[in-house]
Amino acid sequence: MTVAATALTAARRARDLAELAAGDTVDLLVVGLGVTGAGVALDAASRGLTVAAVDAHDLAFGTSRWSSKLVHGGLRYLAGGHIGLAYESAAERDVLLRRVAPHLVSPLPSVLPLTPLTPAVPAALARAGFAAGDVLRAAAGTPAGILPRSRRIAPVEVHRLVPAVRRSGLRGGLLGWDGQLVDDARLVVALARTAAGHGARVITRCRVEQLHGRGAAVLDKLTGEHHELRARAVINATGVWADQLDPGVRLRPSRGTHLVLRPGALGRQLAGLTVPVPGTTSRFVFVLPQQDGYSYLGLTDEPIEGPVPDVAEPSAAERGFLLDVMATVLDTPLSDADVVGSFAGLRPLLAGAAGSTADLSRRHAVRVSPDGMTTVVGGKLTTYRRMARDAVDAALTAAGLPVGRCRTARLPLVGAAPAQDLARLGPPARLVARYGTEAAELAALAEHDPDLARPVAEGLAVTGAELLWGVIREGALDADDLLDRRTRIGLVPADRARARAAAEAMVERGRAATTA
Ligand SMILES: Cc1cc2nc3c(=O)[nH]c(=O)nc-3n(C[C@H](O)[C@H](O)[C@H](O)COP(=O)(O)OP(=O)(O)OC[C@H]3O[C@@H](n4cnc5c(N)ncnc54)[C@H](O)[C@@H]3O)c2cc1C
């Protein structure tokens, strides 16, 4: 696949939309370019189908950029007795870690400290859960050389990994491993570009106003024009907004909030920190270290009522809850000064079960409406590939088209290469973890113009080359796309403000380069 084939640009978007608006009928139209819709686009395009994929906003505009960025082994499903779901997660984690996106997913160690305040039941359950996770990992075929076995560790090892854990009474900890994405939005971008490389037309800023089994009425948000798009099969992958296009779907969204902690808030954190929520047996709060030095403290689970907003806002109560739980294991509680940002996402949970949203199944559902439109919803980021496969199978069957064979389990995304090859690449490890084999091309951009090698603002790691790459290769159309989805500078408002001018300048420069 050539770089040109996978490059998403404003010019390509305009051309692709014009062809569709002129009446080109595609085999499959997918609505929504979160991880599910982008996964559908890749699945269908790699089966040899003609595909159009549209989003009202941008790649990864919805829930897919607000996740905890974990590629789960499915432990929490085991706790609920859902063995099939747990195995599915572990198997998908293996596919992502070893074949599809080894550049974006890496092993993350996490520590659960055993303190006098750690109640016996959650501690015992966690120990059993870690052991079950080892069995799942082995069953999924992931070598212990990639995700090591869980084990009990001594207090000194707990402190080496997370220095801020309270010393008095510490009995040691449990150490386990899972997969972590360098950035969930980058997974979506890589999926969309790989789909484009297989010929999919990927069109952002295109809102579907009406959807049916044979196409959609859409609004081009850049021009204000309305168009009819035609397709032989249609998939609605709009996540928490899915019921707006398919009233037959019933959702019960719940908000999950993370706080962004300043670098060093928990000392030199080398592992995730997992803390049982007091008074519960299987709920945990965690702090996950990130590549850029920040860490994310999550996670809440708050049912929401009423209209679904474009972007959810964390509440003061959620912030208080997260800080209070963390205080149970730290020598010095986190203060307001440690919290430099926050973000919230809405889980597209399926309605239909009683109980709290924390207990609702994370299983996905595929539904074909009476007029032949297929909706895929629920699930989670880790299992996007299965969701995509099931949705494409169902949509093609409903449309009476040949189903073909899903190929995505063996299809590396743009930038992917085996871990040992990635380790041999020259440019900074930071770029390799975000761009994989394409890091060399970013480095080459900066060689021609040393300004591009410099950080876009003091104290930030993101360089000008990354912003320019976002415009000339990754379909960023404005500064928000660059700050909030091609990079995650926007998660810290102060950083966002400092980088804004550079992002705006790079949109202009990238546009000029791709339309010249
Ligand atoms: C706080 C939180 C943490 C999570 N953490 C994890 C985790 O660590 N690991 C994990 O595996 N899973 C996690 N999940 C679950 C996972 O993030 C979601 O299941 C997944 O991202 C949903 O993706 P999606 O593509 O279905 O929906 P979305 O990402 O929401 O995509 C839907 C898209 O549809 C578009 N759209 C909506 N309406 C229209 C329209 N009319 N026309 C055109 N486009 C439209 C939107 O703009 C959006 O881009 C988490 C979820 C939450 C909320």
Side-chain angles (χ1 to χ4, degrees):
M1 214 182 310
T2 64
V3 171
T6 63
L8 297 174
T9 61
R12 179 171 180 175
R13 173 200 176 277
R15 199 174 56 240
D16 284 348
L17 182 54
E19 286 167 3
L20 294 171
D24 251 12
T25 302
V26 289
D27 293 322
L28 184 89
L29 167 68
V30 54
V31 188
L33 280 161
V35 73
T36 311
V40 164
L42 176 57
D43 184 306
S46 60
R47 292 187 200 206
L49 302 173
T50 54
V51 174
V54 302
D55 197 284
H57 302 277
D58 183 24
L59 307 177
F61 181 85
T63 304
S64 297
R65 70 176 149 140
W66 304 125
S67 80
S68 305
K69 295 150 190 49
L70 290 175
V71 177
H72 288 294
L75 265 190
R76 67 170 294 161
Y77 309 114
L78 268 191
H82 305 294
I83 295 170
L85 200 56
Y87 174 75
E88 181 178 282
S89 257
E92 288 306 304
R93 179 181 63 184
D94 187 67
V95 167
L96 277 162
L97 260 170
R98 293 205 292 156
R99 283 202 292 271
V100 167
H103 55 320
L104 301 178
V105 185
S106 52
L108 173 76
S110 272
V111 177
L112 187 146
L114 299 169
T115 72
L117 288 178
T118 316
V121 174
L125 284 175
R127 206 167 301 142
F130 277 35
D134 291 337
V135 174
L136 271 181
R137 172 193 53 73
T142 313
I146 294 182
L147 288 180
R149 240 174 226 293
S150 64
R151 59 189 167 92
R152 173 103 190 226
I153 55 174
V156 64
E157 181 72 352
V158 174
H159 281 123
R160 189 183 70 79
L161 295 170
V162 191
V165 170
R166 182 178 299 149
R167 280 164 199 267
S168 80
L170 184 67
R171 288 176 282 132
L174 302 176
L175 177 66
W177 295 72
D178 216 332
Q180 183 185 35
L181 276 160
V182 67
D183 179 353
D184 43 10
R186 292 214 62 76
L187 174 65
V188 179
V189 171
L191 283 165
R193 284 189 56 208
T194 312
H198 283 84
R201 290 161 167 145
V202 174
I203 301 165
T204 58
R205 307 297 197 285
C206 181
R207 171 175 289 284
V208 170
E209 301 191 310
Q210 264 191 333
L211 194 61
H212 52 84
R214 293 284 169 184
V218 304
L219 166 67
D220 177 354
K221 289 170 69 181
L222 295 186
T223 62
E225 288 168 359
H226 293 265
H227 305 291
E228 288 293 326
L229 307 189
R230 297 202 195 109
R232 296 180 187 89
V234 169
I235 294 180
N236 169 19
T238 52
V240 79
W241 297 276
D243 53 356
Q244 295 176 7
L245 296 177
D246 179 355
V249 170
R250 286 185 50 239
L251 296 175
R252 221 176 128 199
S254 101
R255 187 176 59 232
T257 285
H258 291 87
L259 306 181
V260 182
L261 304 181
R262 68 169 175 83
L266 297 189
R268 191 163 166 265
Q269 196 184 346
L270 300 177
L273 174 64
T274 305
V275 182
V277 175
T280 70
T281 51
S282 60
R283 268 199 79 190
F284 300 91
V285 157
F286 46 77
V287 183
L288 303 170
Q290 305 295 314
Q291 189 199 44
D292 53 14
Y294 294 112
S295 52
Y296 302 156
L297 161 57
L299 180 66
T300 61
D301 200 324
E302 292 290 318
I304 67 153
E305 304 293 339
V308 174
D310 280 352
V311 176
E313 291 295 334
S315 71
E318 289 174 295
R319 180 185 170 109
F321 162 79
L322 292 170
L323 294 176
D324 286 351
V325 175
M326 282 314 296
T328 63
V329 298
L330 300 181
D331 262 333
T332 313
L334 294 166
S335 71
D336 280 347
D338 292 317
V339 180
V340 292
S342 60
F343 60 92
L346 300 177
R347 298 178 184 83
L349 300 181
L350 293 162
S356 82
T357 49
D359 300 326
L360 285 180
S361 170
R362 263 59 167 170
R363 203 178 284 278
H364 67 269
V366 175
R367 176 192 124 86
V368 180
S369 69
D371 77 350
M373 175 217 316
T374 299
T375 293
V376 54
V377 74
K380 61 203 158 75
L381 199 120
T382 306
T383 52
Y384 78 89
R385 206 188 58 77
R386 300 276 182 122
M387 296 175 68
R389 182 197 65 188
D390 293 352
V392 173
D393 284 351
L396 296 179
T397 305
L401 294 168
V403 171
R405 193 168 57 83
C406 169
R407 296 169 187 280
T408 51
R410 301 197 163 270
L411 206 150
L413 304 185
V414 281
Q420 61 274 22
D421 295 353
L422 292 171
R424 279 197 289 269
L425 289 176
R430 181 181 165 277
L431 284 189
V432 175
R434 300 183 68 77
Y435 300 90
T437 55
E438 292 193 325
E441 286 165 70
L442 268 95
L445 276 183
E447 262 168 37
H448 294 124
D449 177 351
D451 260 2
L452 292 177
R454 282 193 260 284
V456 294
E458 205 190 316
L460 299 185
V462 175
T463 63
E466 289 174 71
L467 297 187
L468 184 59
W469 189 258
V471 182
I472 64 175
R473 293 286 183 260
E474 298 181 337
L477 298 182
D478 64 19
D480 292 343
D481 291 357
L482 288 178
L483 296 170
D484 296 332
R485 291 166 290 272
R486 303 309 178 277
T487 72
R488 305 312 296 273
I489 293 173
L491 288 177
V492 177
D495 292 349
R496 190 173 204 284
R498 287 185 302 134
R500 176 135 208 124
E504 281 168 358
M506 219 49 89
V507 170
E508 292 307 315
R509 180 169 169 178
R511 260 231 187 126
T514 49
T515 48

